[in-house]
Amino acid sequence: MKNILFLIPIALILTVRLFNYLQELKVSKESDEKMNQNRKNEIKKLLENRKVRTNNQIFDEDEFWEIVTEIRIKSKNSYKVFIDLFKDKLLNFDPNKLIEIDNLLMNFYQKYLTKEIIGASQIIFKSSDINYTFLLMNYLISKNQVVFKNTCINEELIDKLKIENLVFTTMNDIIGDCYYLSTRELIPKPDIENRSTKYPEKFYEEEDLPNVFPNLWMEYA
């Protein structure tokens, strides 16, 4: 009987602790749900108020490649480090300059989106999603001007690609982040003409990819 009486306070304490824990979980869940709803509302508001781009100026290409070279040297050719340093660099840029760099990158996509680079991204990422092709182009841009422009159009150079330290973030993503941090607005969206992707007239058939890029196929397929 004494043992039972001794256990009653312990059971009571455990019950109270369990009750308090469950209450904390409930409050925490309600708080998380409220924060999540606020986040969704804020994103909705940002999207509704997003402006159409009126600044169609292109950032000076020579200056851009100087920035890339500077960051590439510091990053020691690591794309992951490159992206972090690219953000550090752009945080000090005027919002209009950020838009102009974004315009320059989109200009690169239009000009150097080739069947070769699309075929390579299909092998490397096992997907035909065009965003993976843009990611691969960003990876090449981070190397230098010559590597980017030559590789996009050269089957042999593409076949020798070795992808290392890749993160699924593009320079456009970083530009958008920096623009938001500076203005608390989404970066203005390009007009329809500049936003549409111009695809190559011809593509490789999937069954041709192993023969066109044999080394890349053996490495990533």
Side-chain angles (χ1 to χ4, degrees), residues 24-36:
E24 288 174 2
L25 281 181
K26 181 180 178 182
V27 171
S28 176
K29 183 179 179 181
E30 290 173 350
S31 177
D32 289 344
E33 289 175 351
K34 185 176 180 179
M35 287 177 62
N36 190 39

Side-chain angles (χ1 to χ4, degrees), residues 7-213:
L7 289 173
I8 289 175
I10 297 177
L12 183 59
I13 291 171
L14 291 175
T15 302
V16 170
R17 286 183 177 177
L18 178 60
F19 176 79
N20 289 338
Y21 173 70
L22 293 174
Q23 285 295 104
E24 288 174 2
L25 281 181
K26 181 180 178 182
V27 171
S28 176
K29 183 179 179 181
E30 290 173 350
S31 177
D32 289 344
E33 289 175 351
K34 185 176 180 179
M35 287 177 62
N36 190 39
Q37 187 59 49
N38 289 340
R39 180 186 62 82
K40 291 179 180 178
N41 291 338
E42 182 63 25
I43 293 173
K44 181 174 180 289
K45 184 178 178 181
L46 287 169
L47 289 170
E48 290 173 346
N49 294 328
R50 190 179 187 186
K51 300 171 184 175
V52 175
R53 191 168 303 187
T54 56
N55 180 1
N56 293 314
Q57 293 293 315
I58 304 292
F59 191 79
D60 182 79
E61 185 172 340
D62 290 336
E63 186 179 349
F64 173 78
W65 288 117
E66 287 175 7
I67 293 171
V68 168
T69 299
E70 173 194 334
I71 298 175
R72 177 180 58 80
I73 293 171
K74 292 180 180 177
S75 69
K76 297 181 179 179
N77 274 323
S78 166
Y79 183 72
K80 183 179 185 300
V81 178
F82 180 95
I83 283 295
D84 290 338
L85 294 176
F86 187 69
K87 184 172 185 176
D88 291 342
K89 182 79 173 180
L90 264 55
L91 283 172
N92 298 317
F93 274 54
D94 177 83
N96 272 316
K97 288 298 179 184
L98 294 174
I99 293 174
E100 291 172 12
I101 297 175
D102 197 55
N103 290 339
L104 176 62
L105 288 170
M106 288 191 293
N107 190 51
F108 285 159
Y109 301 154
Q110 299 287 14
K111 191 173 182 179
Y112 295 98
L113 183 64
T114 62
K115 67 175 184 178
E116 288 83 6
I117 201 68
I118 291 174
S121 70
Q122 288 176 330
I123 295 174
I124 294 168
F125 300 108
K126 302 174 180 62
S127 172
S128 57
D129 187 334
I130 194 63
N131 289 308
Y132 285 120
T133 304
F134 293 149
L135 176 62
L136 180 57
M137 294 174 82
N138 274 254
Y139 180 84
L140 294 174
I141 289 170
S142 74
K143 299 307 174 187
N144 62 51
Q145 180 178 4
V146 174
V147 169
F148 168 63
K149 293 184 176 180
N150 288 342
T151 304
C152 284
I153 60 174
N154 189 302
E155 290 179 357
E156 291 184 8
L157 290 177
I158 287 179
D159 197 36
K160 297 176 182 177
L161 274 177
K162 297 290 183 183
I163 309 299
E164 299 174 333
N165 302 117
L166 186 66
V167 291
F168 290 83
T169 304
T170 66
M171 294 180 216
N172 303 89
D173 296 329
I174 297 302
I175 292 168
D177 289 346
C178 292
Y179 188 92
Y180 175 77
L181 290 171
S182 177
T183 65
R184 293 299 164 184
E185 294 179 353
L186 295 181
I187 190 169
K189 59 186 177 183
D191 57 37
I192 297 297
E193 183 178 348
N194 293 322
R195 190 171 40 192
S196 57
T197 302
K198 297 176 183 176
Y199 292 93
E201 293 183 3
K202 295 182 179 180
F203 295 88
Y204 292 114
E205 297 295 337
E206 287 187 2
E207 59 269 25
D208 294 333
L209 291 175
N211 294 323
V212 176
F213 305 112

